[in-house]
Amino acid sequence: MSSLVVHAVALDELPVLEPRAWRNWVKGELLQGGRPVMLWGRRGDAGVEVSIALQRADRGLDVLRTTVDPAHGYFALTEVALALHGCERELHETLGVRLTGHPWLKPLRHHGQTQAEMAAYPYYRLDGKCVHEVAVGPIHAGVIEPGSFRFQCNGELVHHLEIQLGYQHRGVEALLDRGDPRRSVPLVETVAGDASVAHAWATCAALERLAGVALAPEVELARATLLELERVAMHLAGLAGLATDVGFVPGASTYGRLRTTAINTTMRLCGSRFGRGALHPGGVAITPDAPAVAAAVALLTAHGATADACFFGSRVVQHRLQGVGALTTAQALQLGLVGPAARACGVELDQREGAGGAYAARPIAVVTEPSGDCWARARMRGRELAASLAWLADAAPALTAVPARQPIGALAPSHLVLALAESWRGEVVHALETDAAGRVVRHKVQDPSLRNWLGLALGMRDNDISDFPICNKSYDLSYCGNDL
Amino acid sequence: MWKLLQLRREQGRQAIADLRTARPEGFRGLPVIATTPCADGCRACVDVCPTAAITAPPVRLDLGRCTLCGACAPACPAGKLAFTPEVAMAASRRDDLVVAEGPPRVPEVDIGAALRRRFGRSLKLRQVSAGGCNGCELELNALANVNFDIGRHGIEWVASPRHADALVVSGPITRTMADAVQLAWDAMAEPRFVIAVGACAISGGLYDGAPGVDRGFFDRQPPLIYVPGCPPHPLTIARALLAALNS
């Protein structure tokens, strides 16, 4: 059994409704608490095929499809579920589907010909005697990806922040849709290069389900080990960044060097500090070294605890993080936040909870924090990495040699598969669709960043502009994962 | 207070003693290609490569395209391809990145005597990510952490292109960043040069020919240092910079 949430359906069994009935059904499900996972489109013969995936409380998925005439479109679902605003903006931008009633139909990534018009982005503007604008980006002052931020301020106080992305748009999905089996995993490893393992695993799990391949428990364990090491490394990187941004130097240097230990452990297992090239459909290429993993985990646990005691125990750190950039649980649910950003607002949402495979054999503790501020997001990262280290300490002795490359064989024709993996940043969603010949003709990817950027923007309201770096770092979102 | 002292004691000395000789354990680095003859018509390594980095026969591997994914080594029935833990892979001439059959050969980095004299003791870098996936960016950031501590060699990141001697570009250069990269370069004072970091920047890598990519900047400003990898190991970047400065 897969360690991820995987849902497969034959296309002739996929419920397809006419647009009005489809929208009514989706609206009903959303109002009854169905969680929107992803909405996406594909150009078909009779129009644009629009699909939506909703998750039930038992983690099961429902997928429903409609075919719309792009010129006619449909009445935007964002009106019912704000969480879908990014998906619908993308649908409008890439496939030209008309969406009536969408409150915010702005370009998501300046797709296609409008890419030259980055400077003409229609920002919201606040007018008033004492109001001023602050524009930042696309190039920032550090070694970091590009994006544009526009603050509407009154003095130091931020009334509104608008985030314009799209500078990282390379055309990942256009390449993925070509369905070249050699390139799909290497490409998804660079969707958000700091979450390579999570994206690669989701793609592999989807392809394996299409091929009807079940993996040995050792393979699932090895993959989960790499995924948890990725989580540990990036949570340490995030804490190092936060410590830098609040001027807590001992935290910055210790979390930073502990991250080196974590990614060097990944390198020892698979040759790359980011787990690149380790996962492929049907297997995982690792050199199991249980003692090395156990030693690294013991060091990270012991030294990490000292760093946590100093960092979270510091009055300065508490003062800088507590109450800053806060969102309520209701806001998090309304925005459809995912991953640690949601859990920091008390939302219990983690695709590893109750999952099969490696997580059934060794359940991982899911943590939440109630306060929704930068402090909660920092605490989440500290507590989650401790939980992952505890899991790794238990799992490491069981790491054994695994068969490296197993061809997976032909893919089931005319099928749709969704796979959800819980990356350190939240759930990554991959949807793969095959044609009648069993070729992948659509490979849709959703990085958690797409769902969470608006949380950062709204959390900045009524905060000091000088707190933006802390808020931004506390979310640690991906620009390229959004821009695809 | 006691906790902070304990933290300091546990931290100890973390800096890698010599960046020029350090070898990362388990790293899949510089490939070597044996001279064993290929089977007739065999193209197994060419067919399995995701970035068309390999041509055959004779087998040649372009490090400027290679993502070091390792797929080719087990695919070769003659076992011709292997990856060593060698980190020194950067070059100043694009052609030097092509690995041919035979014993391993470490490519050369040379930015010229004038630039070396000027920047030998102090080199300020401005980084621009233009479609980079945060892999290269994280490794470039790691250069300045307590382990790699590149600052001890007078190499530092600066926030403004006005203060920079070299522009470090990562990513294939997206169409939406093409203007911004050019603006950053135009803002830099002479003398200056370009460093391309990662397979995407050097050749487009996985994104060669992608719809959102515009690589015109590199045609106008060819890099003086190419640093291969996906992403490159910080030691690969450090070795390239130190070799360039001859320090």
Side-chain angles (χ1 to χ4, degrees):
Chain A
M1 189 179 175
S2 176
S3 313
L4 309 187
V5 175
V6 185
H7 177 79
V9 58
L11 288 182
D12 53 12
E13 288 168 19
L14 179 68
V16 181
L17 303 180
E18 61 92 17
R20 189 184 296 262
W22 175 81
R23 188 182 187 280
N24 284 340
W25 180 86
V26 174
K27 183 175 178 180
E29 291 292 313
L30 289 169
L31 291 176
Q32 283 170 35
R35 193 181 72 82
V37 173
M38 186 164 75
L39 181 148
W40 74 105
R42 172 173 180 248
R43 201 163 273 129
D45 299 330
V48 173
E49 295 167 354
V50 182
S51 312
I52 189 165
L54 300 169
Q55 191 166 38
R56 301 184 299 266
D58 66 356
R59 296 268 180 268
L61 297 174
D62 292 311
V63 183
L64 203 75
R65 178 168 283 182
T66 187
T67 304
V68 298
D69 171 6
H72 187 68
Y74 66 93
F75 205 86
L77 281 161
T78 301
E79 176 224 25
V80 187
L82 193 52
L84 291 170
H85 83 93
C87 298
E88 289 198 322
R89 284 165 65 195
E90 179 187 52
L91 191 69
H92 174 70
E93 187 175 29
T94 58
L95 295 166
V97 177
R98 186 173 163 214
L99 291 167
T100 317
H102 193 293
W104 209 51
L105 210 51
K106 291 185 172 189
L108 189 66
R109 19 185 114 111
H110 277 276
H111 197 85
Q113 293 311 311
T114 52
Q115 282 188 346
E117 298 163 16
M118 295 306 278
Y121 184 84
Y123 287 104
Y124 286 115
R125 249 187 68 193
L126 217 63
D127 280 328
K129 209 171 156 190
C130 303
V131 178
H132 68 276
E133 271 190 353
V134 178
V136 181
I139 300 180
H140 301 279
V143 181
I144 182 175
E145 294 176 67
S148 241
F149 301 97
R150 189 69 61 97
F151 299 87
Q152 309 291 330
C153 303
N154 185 350
E156 291 280 294
L157 200 69
V158 176
H159 284 304
H160 180 71
L161 160 63
E162 191 166 356
I163 301 170
Q164 179 208 355
L165 301 176
Y167 293 94
Q168 295 280 70
H169 175 63
R170 301 140 282 171
V172 183
E173 284 190 4
L175 296 181
L176 286 172
D177 285 350
R178 292 177 191 170
D180 183 344
R182 288 174 303 182
R183 291 165 62 92
S184 59
V185 173
L187 274 170
V188 300
E189 282 177 341
T190 63
V191 160
D194 45 29
S196 297
V197 175
H199 278 286
W201 196 353
T203 288
C204 289
L207 288 168
E208 285 149 7
R209 177 62 65 87
L210 281 168
V213 173
L215 297 183
E218 307 87 69
V219 177
E220 296 282 341
L221 181 82
R223 287 182 178 183
T225 300
L226 292 175
L227 183 67
E228 295 310 319
L229 279 170
E230 181 173 86
R231 191 182 321 278
V232 168
M234 287 313 297
H235 280 343
L236 285 165
L239 288 171
L242 274 171
T244 305
D245 285 347
V246 300
F248 191 75
V249 177
S253 52
T254 300
Y255 286 130
R257 65 100 174 168
L258 291 176
R259 170 178 173 268
T260 305
T261 302
I263 55 177
N264 283 352
T265 309
T266 301
M267 178 170 69
R268 247 183 123 125
L269 291 176
C270 72
S272 157
R273 307 218 301 171
F274 292 74
R276 301 278 172 94
L279 277 74
H280 41 80
V284 58
I286 66 158
T287 313
D289 191 342
V293 178
V297 168
L299 180 127
L300 290 168
T301 307
H303 291 190
T306 316
D308 282 352
C310 294
F311 182 69
F312 292 109
S314 158
R315 297 269 303 272
V316 174
V317 173
Q318 291 168 11
H319 182 79
R320 291 291 285 116
L321 298 182
Q322 286 176 355
V324 174
L327 287 180
T328 63
T329 309
Q331 280 178 305
L333 289 169
Q334 191 193 8
L335 295 173
L337 299 190
V338 294
R343 296 194 286 277
C345 297
V347 179
E348 277 187 42
L349 173 65
D350 190 321
Q351 301 301 337
R352 296 171 298 164
E353 191 176 26
Y359 296 114
R362 293 179 180 76
I364 193 153
V366 172
V367 289
T368 60
E369 285 278 330
S371 57
D373 51 4
C374 289
W375 172 257
R377 285 182 288 275
R379 289 285 297 162
M380 277 300 303
R381 305 189 82 167
R383 292 177 60 201
E384 276 194 13
L385 84 86
S388 291
L389 286 172
W391 187 93
L392 284 165
D394 186 30
L399 269 182
T400 52
V402 290
R405 279 172 189 271
Q406 301 285 320
I408 54 166
L411 306 181
S414 303
H415 266 69
L416 172 69
V417 174
L418 271 100
L420 276 67
E422 188 73 24
S423 78
W424 63 272
R425 210 181 251 128
E427 64 191 35
V428 303
V429 187
H430 287 237
L432 275 71
E433 194 172 323
T434 53
D435 66 2
R439 287 180 306 236
V440 174
V441 288
R442 181 77 173 107
H443 185 161
K444 174 83 194 97
V445 179
Q446 181 178 278
D447 189 79
S449 308
L450 179 85
R451 305 291 292 268
N452 288 351
W453 275 110
L454 193 57
L456 167 63
L458 295 187
M460 271 307 291
R461 287 186 176 178
D462 295 327
N463 280 251
D464 285 356
I465 191 170
S466 50
D467 283 337
F468 175 69
I470 306 173
C471 291
N472 193 16
K473 194 72 217 174
S474 74
Y475 280 92
D476 223 342
L477 301 176
S478 171
Y479 300 74
C480 56
N482 182 87
D483 292 351
L484 298 178
Chain B
M1 182 67 203
W2 289 115
K3 271 286 172 197
L4 270 175
L5 288 172
Q6 185 188 345
L7 185 74
R8 183 67 196 87
R9 186 170 55 78
E10 287 173 0
Q11 181 80 350
R13 186 181 154 75
Q14 292 290 333
I16 294 165
D18 188 346
L19 297 175
R20 280 158 296 209
T21 53
R23 269 168 194 271
E25 202 163 340
F27 177 60
R28 187 167 55 243
L30 185 72
V32 287
I33 309 169
T35 48
T36 347
C38 296
D40 252 1
C42 177
R43 290 174 50 84
C45 57
V46 178
D47 291 341
V48 83
C49 179
T51 55
I54 307 176
T55 52
V59 178
R60 293 162 70 86
L61 188 153
D62 182 1
L63 280 173
R65 303 188 67 86
C66 179
T67 61
L68 299 172
C69 74
C72 51
C76 175
K80 276 172 72 80
L81 287 130
F83 289 83
T84 69
E86 177 60 58
V87 288
M89 285 182 276
S92 283
R93 288 211 314 270
R94 179 68 181 85
D95 293 347
D96 283 357
L97 293 176
V98 178
V99 178
E101 293 182 2
R105 185 185 54 87
V106 172
E108 254 186 43
V109 178
D110 185 0
I111 56 170
L115 288 175
R116 203 161 48 236
R117 207 163 36 243
R118 178 73 71 117
F119 299 130
R121 286 160 174 271
S122 161
L123 180 69
K124 307 295 174 201
L125 306 170
R126 168 68 240 204
Q127 196 268 351
V128 174
S129 167
C133 70
N134 204 25
C136 288
E137 292 74 13
L138 279 167
E139 294 300 47
L140 287 165
N141 264 320
L143 270 186
N145 74 15
V146 292
N147 302 106
F148 298 98
D149 189 21
I150 196 78
R152 63 184 132 159
H153 294 285
I155 301 169
E156 279 177 353
W157 297 112
V158 291
S160 168
R162 291 272 192 234
H163 305 156
D165 307 316
L167 185 70
V168 178
V169 180
S170 58
I173 303 194
T174 50
R175 285 166 61 190
T176 41
M177 276 301 285
D179 288 349
V181 173
Q182 186 65 48
L183 277 171
W185 173 255
D186 290 345
M188 288 168 60
E190 296 274 5
R192 57 187 174 168
F193 62 101
V194 176
I195 303 174
V197 169
C200 285
I202 298 173
S203 67
L206 285 159
Y207 295 98
D208 187 16
V213 167
D214 171 2
R215 298 181 49 73
F217 175 77
F218 287 125
D219 297 334
R220 296 186 296 273
Q221 306 298 338
L224 275 194
I225 306 177
Y226 298 94
V227 188
C230 185
H233 194 285
L235 285 172
T236 302
I237 311 168
R239 290 279 282 272
L241 296 175
L242 295 180
L245 303 182
N246 214 3
S247 75

